[in-house]
Amino acid sequence: MKTELLVIGGGPGGYTAAFRAADLGRKVVLVDKRERLGGVCLNVGCIPSKALLHAARVIEEAREMSAHGLAFAEVKPDLDKLRDWKQATIDRLTMGLASLARQRGVTVVSGTAQFTGAHEIVVAGTDGERRIAFDQAIIAAGSEPMALPFIPTDPRIIDSTGALELARIPERLLILGGGIIGLEMATVYLALGARVTVVEAMDQLIPGADRDLVAPLHKHLRKRCEAILVGAKVTAVEPREEGLDIRIEGAEGARTERFDMLLVAVGRRPNGARLGAAAAGVKVDASGFIPVDGQMRTNIAHIFAIGDVVGQPMLAHKATHEAKVAAEVASGDEHARFDARVIPSVAYTDPEIAWVGLTEGRAKAEGIAIGKGVFPWAASGRALSIGRDEGMTKLLFDPNTGRLLGAGIVGPNAGELIAEAALAIEMGADATDLALTIHPHPTLSETVAMAAEAFTGTLTDLLVPKRA
Amino acid sequence: MTLPITVPDIGDVKDAAIIEILVKPGDDVAIDDILIVLETDKATLEVPAPSAGRVHSISVAIGDKVGFGTAILILEESTGAASAPIVAASSSQAAPPPPPAPAAIEPITVPAPPPPMAQTPATGLQPHASPSLRRFARELGVDLTRITGTGPKGRISREDVQGFIKQAIDRPAASAGEGLSLLPWPQVDFAKFGPIERQPLSRIKKISGANLARNAIVIPHVTNFDEADVTALDAFRVEVNKTQGAKVTMLAFIIKAAVAALKAHPNFNASLDGDDLILKRYFHIGFAADTPNGLVVPVIRDADSKGILDIAAETAALSALARDGKLKPADMQGGCFTVSSLGGIGGTGFTPIINAPEVAILGAARAQMKPVWDGSAFQPRLIMPVSLSWDHRVIDGAAAAGFLVTLCTLLADFRRVSL
């Protein structure tokens, strides 16, 4: 088999690169180890977790309204049906991808790819081995959940993939890792009735986000979890018949407790070292990342790499953006470049946390002068009318030019709201631009304009103390 | 032009640690800007940029252990530093879709470790331009930080980029011609490295130097090489000197042969005048004469109408005047073609610089006895290496090779000069 462009990995990065290159007239072969396209994101990541988070939200909102005149019977989750529904969502999307690949003439090969040279891979599939010669390649091999060496193998010890399988609802669940994935799963399992403890090694949950954004989530979770232990770690796991005896060491000393299930969500590891890249001369660093330049080229000029395998943040929307750059450069567009100024991050927890660009923490650490505009959702009619007043919209501006440098939002739908800030940063909009853009009322999106007005001094929905 | 930068000789150190990297791919650096800082167990050392340019890729990371010769980064040298081209060379990363054949695969660049991409915006200093405009600027190779936007709050518009390009295109046209933007001459305090002595250049050296520099830069020089079998000619020369009591040098024969070659190849007896070629119907041949004060080129007038003995006597007389500094300007004017002979000194060949406005110059090196295969055996033959530098605006390679063949044939069988 021979192709012009080979894409390794069928996740959001891989299929986007393959489709874009095909649209540019290239002959493309896409190799993925899964039978179905979509990678981690569609199969065992973003999409199934969002389906379950939606279920969790419905449960929580029903519970919240019971105090306000809408009493429902307690929800009885039917895990089989819930799983079917989640799977139907995945199926619909992966089938859609398969059809898009067909329509574009992209050849999809399933199996595990290994480089055998700078212009050839061998794919080991269920029907044997197959060699594919290529002129150019794009590596989009993604990442996988990181395992910890001291944690034994046991069916009750799961990673994010296992958590999304929703095999059962444990009575007591320990989540190791208070990052985005761990807390999203905490949100799901809490709604479905598990008692949850979260252990995070850093001194705050979601360490990449500003503390003031995390605070409402932390407060919300603290009320509902058995415990949230920050600055703590799990040091031993002993599987017993009756449960998992887990030793936790933290500020308040060490203790051993019994749990029914342990979810390990301590991060993801790139798959750069699993491809035999050395046979092609492609450099892979010690952590398994493949270094690339601004055009997504590896050290080998005709081989590109994109997505999780090239570096943090490991996000599908970063991968798809990089995918287009790589496909365009590989197809002869020398001007394509990864030139995005910011990449938004979202935790789809309850409440959601989203941020983009400069954070207050980084501004402080690097001595970057900022002006801040904050609008607490307690003053938003829409936030109150959905029964959630803990949210906050925070915008960070350049104090001289007023240009937006960063934004952080916590509250329901923060992930949807952050896109406006990303656009504003890319366009070079300043506080006045945001303040003078008419936002529909009553919406949560208004809070962005109001945070800008808090900075410009024109806000009337709150009494902001005058700045000196 | 890319320039790989490696760790300089830092003494017998193989594992100096990189503690600082002060540049990133895409950065413009000036000469002597510090690129990286190394730390050995004895000291920290800064590695400066050997020339101005743009950092293309970095192949080391902080903490790497390096030693003499370790590749650090690749620099794209800028052609002119002081007035660096405004339109950045963005085509350097261009890659045509058909990739190189397998055999040609080599790691081309080692890119820097993946940048923390989410951490791009730091301050409001970034150009006020939308993503689509940034792409437009990339297509034209425009560095947006060099544009002042005319939109509200300094926003850069499409028209701003177009205007900037237009200005950049117009600017060189205004000062058309000799606008060679070269690096400043390196300033070195030589006394720092050892004892020195300062000696002013002679007047001749100053004048000839300026002329040579202009000729070397302006004329597209090409030099062809050939060998002339001068066994018979030299035997004849020795015989003439014996029987005539004269002092005939090889130079006189070369001048005479050159005249015959110029007659056969008239384009070499020419000068460029704008879009016209001036073909000369006279044969004044200059010859390079070495003097204690520098090089001069006296001219033998009408060499075509003079015999070998006359030419020999005249070159000797002009050389004597030159050595005494008594050559008159008229003695050095009107040349059609120049011969530079180092045969009396040595060497196996050289590339002479054309004496403008002439279009070619002949160099002759020392003749040596060499074995030459005659078809059945090696014969000892006296072989003189000759070189011909020519102005590619007037002459092409085939003509130059033909001229040398003619010349060598004449020197091998000097009877043909009279044909």
Side-chain angles (χ1 to χ4, degrees), chain B residues 110-177:
Chain B
V110 181
M117 283 171 170
Q119 301 207 343
T120 342
T123 70
L125 290 173
Q126 283 188 312
H128 191 176
S130 68
S132 65
L133 192 100
R134 294 186 328 245
R135 187 187 162 99
F136 178 61
R138 277 203 305 282
E139 285 169 359
L140 297 172
V142 171
D143 177 0
L144 286 175
T145 60
R146 306 182 63 150
I147 298 185
T148 311
T150 57
K153 301 160 191 162
R155 172 179 284 275
I156 300 170
S157 68
R158 205 177 164 86
E159 288 70 31
D160 289 334
V161 175
Q162 286 164 336
F164 185 78
I165 288 288
K166 195 169 173 306
Q167 208 184 357
I169 292 168
D170 289 349
R171 202 172 300 151
S175 63

Side-chain angles (χ1 to χ4, degrees), chain A residues 24-385:
Chain A
L24 290 169
R26 311 300 306 287
K27 192 181 160 199
V28 182
V29 170
L30 175 59
V31 178
D32 191 65
K33 63 182 176 191
R34 287 188 174 81
E35 285 292 325
R36 291 170 169 216
L37 291 180
V40 169
C41 171
L42 261 67
N43 290 290
V44 289
C46 334
I47 300 304
S49 64
K50 282 343 83 65
L52 296 183
L53 281 161
H54 174 70
R57 183 166 174 173
V58 170
I59 296 170
E60 296 296 352
E61 286 184 345
R63 280 184 190 145
E64 282 161 17
M65 281 312 286
S66 65
H68 308 298
L70 276 183
F72 294 91
E74 184 52 30
V75 178
K76 285 190 206 128
D78 178 337
L79 288 190
D80 291 334
K81 272 198 172 162
L82 204 48
R83 267 196 305 272
D84 288 349
W85 173 69
K86 176 200 76 173
Q87 194 55 46
T89 311
I90 295 170
D91 290 350
R92 193 165 156 192
L93 286 165
T94 56
M95 296 302 185
L97 283 180
S99 141
L100 286 174
R102 246 191 332 273
Q103 286 163 8
R104 287 182 157 89
V106 170
T107 309
V108 179
V109 175
S110 14
T112 314
Q114 285 285 311
F115 281 98
T116 51
H119 284 277
E120 193 195 62
I121 58 159
V122 59
V123 179
T126 46
D127 51 350
E129 289 198 344
R130 186 193 303 207
R131 287 181 184 276
I132 304 177
F134 59 85
D135 296 332
Q136 291 167 296
I138 297 176
I139 301 171
S143 62
E144 59 175 14
M146 208 181 306
L148 294 175
F150 65 89
I151 294 183
T153 306
D154 187 284
R156 294 164 293 182
I157 299 172
I158 57 174
D159 58 16
S160 59
T161 305
L164 291 168
E165 279 168 13
L166 211 61
R168 64 190 179 93
I169 303 302
E171 203 160 302
R172 285 196 81 200
L173 170 65
L174 179 68
I175 297 179
L176 176 52
I180 291 177
I181 294 173
L183 296 186
E184 286 183 5
M185 287 303 104
T187 303
V188 169
Y189 278 83
L190 280 169
L192 292 172
R195 286 151 59 206
V196 175
T197 296
V198 177
V199 171
E200 165 59 44
M202 305 292 279
D203 65 354
Q204 75 166 54
L205 297 175
I206 312 186
D210 279 338
R211 198 176 282 272
D212 56 350
L213 295 177
V214 178
L217 172 66
H218 193 128
K219 196 172 154 199
H220 192 72
L221 285 174
R222 196 166 49 209
K223 279 189 286 192
R224 311 190 50 238
C225 290
E226 281 195 328
I228 295 175
L229 306 167
V230 293
K233 53 191 178 179
V234 167
T235 54
V237 179
E238 200 150 329
R240 298 187 190 285
E241 203 176 319
E242 320 81 65
L244 302 163
D245 285 351
I246 300 176
R247 184 174 169 83
I248 303 165
E249 288 178 19
E252 301 110 55
R255 59 181 167 183
T256 299
E257 284 186 48
R258 181 159 297 170
F259 291 88
D260 302 301
M261 199 179 266
L262 168 64
L263 166 60
V264 180
V266 291
R268 299 185 64 84
R269 192 174 59 183
N271 288 332
R274 298 170 155 260
L275 302 161
V282 172
K283 190 176 155 185
V284 181
D285 76 13
S287 353
F289 288 114
I290 297 176
V292 291
D293 65 13
Q295 292 191 309
M296 313 316 299
R297 250 180 237 285
T298 67
N299 60 316
I300 301 298
H302 68 281
I303 301 182
F304 300 75
I306 57 170
D308 290 2
V309 84
V310 305
Q312 300 285 358
M314 293 188 182
L315 296 170
H317 46 268
K318 187 202 74 158
T320 54
H321 193 94
E322 291 174 343
K324 289 188 176 166
V325 172
E328 286 164 7
V329 173
S331 305
D333 179 359
E334 61 184 78
H335 302 299
R337 192 153 307 170
F338 190 95
D339 180 41
R341 288 184 174 163
V342 291
I343 303 167
S345 297
V346 181
Y348 297 88
T349 43
D350 180 24
E352 288 184 3
I353 299 178
W355 67 102
V356 65
L358 188 66
T359 61
E360 230 179 323
R362 194 181 136 224
K364 200 171 173 187
E366 296 179 17
I368 300 168
I370 49 165
K372 190 157 82 162
V374 177
F375 187 80
W377 288 18
S380 156
R382 187 61 192 269
L384 295 185
S385 64

Side-chain angles (χ1 to χ4, degrees), chain B residues 338-368:
Chain B
T338 299
V339 175
S340 175
S341 174
L342 296 175
I345 304 166
T348 57
F350 61 101
T351 59
I353 294 173
I354 295 168
N355 188 18
E358 299 167 21
V359 295
I361 182 169
L362 182 74
R366 186 189 199 100
Q368 278 188 307

Side-chain angles (χ1 to χ4, degrees), chain B residues 141-412:
Chain B
V142 171
D143 177 0
L144 286 175
T145 60
R146 306 182 63 150
I147 298 185
T148 311
T150 57
K153 301 160 191 162
R155 172 179 284 275
I156 300 170
S157 68
R158 205 177 164 86
E159 288 70 31
D160 289 334
V161 175
Q162 286 164 336
F164 185 78
I165 288 288
K166 195 169 173 306
Q167 208 184 357
I169 292 168
D170 289 349
R171 202 172 300 151
S175 63
E178 34 289 308
L180 268 183
S181 49
L182 300 173
L183 287 178
W185 199 256
Q187 298 296 319
V188 178
D189 181 8
F190 300 100
K192 238 169 50 184
F193 304 103
I196 56 165
E197 181 191 337
R198 187 172 284 272
Q199 206 173 60
L201 283 181
S202 71
R203 200 180 62 86
I204 289 178
K205 279 223 164 93
K206 278 192 270 191
I207 294 168
S208 66
N211 278 283
L212 288 165
R214 178 201 58 208
N215 298 351
I217 290 169
V218 172
I219 300 172
H221 277 76
V222 184
T223 305
N224 283 36
F225 298 88
D226 211 334
E227 289 181 338
D229 184 336
V230 293
T231 317
L233 183 59
D234 199 56
F236 178 57
R237 182 183 69 86
V238 170
E239 197 193 328
V240 167
N241 283 349
K242 211 180 283 175
T243 55
Q244 303 285 315
K247 179 140 185 6
V248 178
T249 57
M250 189 56 90
L251 176 64
F253 288 102
I254 296 173
I255 289 173
K256 197 66 188 172
V259 169
L262 289 172
K263 281 182 175 169
H265 302 273
N267 276 4
F268 287 76
N269 189 10
S271 283
L272 203 55
D273 183 17
D275 289 337
D276 295 332
L277 194 61
I278 311 292
L279 294 161
K280 295 159 195 170
R281 303 298 181 212
Y282 53 85
F283 300 89
H284 305 336
I285 309 297
F287 67 96
D290 194 21
T291 79
N293 288 324
L295 187 73
V296 291
V297 183
V299 174
I300 310 284
R301 294 191 171 267
D302 300 307
D304 57 326
S305 63
K306 289 174 180 166
I308 294 292
L309 294 177
D310 295 332
I311 293 173
E314 203 171 323
T315 56
L318 286 168
S319 296
L321 285 174
R323 278 195 297 277
D324 295 339
K326 287 177 183 164
L327 273 183
K328 290 188 274 297
D331 293 329
M332 296 180 281
Q333 286 171 359
C336 304
F337 182 83
T338 299
V339 175
S340 175
S341 174
L342 296 175
I345 304 166
T348 57
F350 61 101
T351 59
I353 294 173
I354 295 168
N355 188 18
E358 299 167 21
V359 295
I361 182 169
L362 182 74
R366 186 189 199 100
Q368 278 188 307
M369 201 56 86
K370 285 187 176 175
V372 174
W373 187 254
D374 69 357
S376 54
F378 280 108
Q379 301 294 341
R381 306 296 297 177
L382 189 63
I383 302 297
M384 182 172 73
V386 291
S387 50
L388 182 76
S389 293
W390 41 278
D391 184 341
H392 211 331
R393 294 172 300 181
V394 177
I395 292 159
D396 56 32
F403 183 93
L404 274 182
V405 167
T406 303
L407 186 88
C408 291
T409 308
L410 291 165
L411 292 172

Side-chain angles (χ1 to χ4, degrees), chain B residues 25-47:
Chain B
D27 279 0
D28 288 317
V29 296
I31 189 163
D32 285 340
D33 277 1
I34 305 304
L35 303 171
I36 64 165
V37 183
L38 306 174
E39 189 178 49
T40 69
D41 49 1
K42 297 186 192 75
T44 60
L45 297 155
E46 296 173 337
V47 178

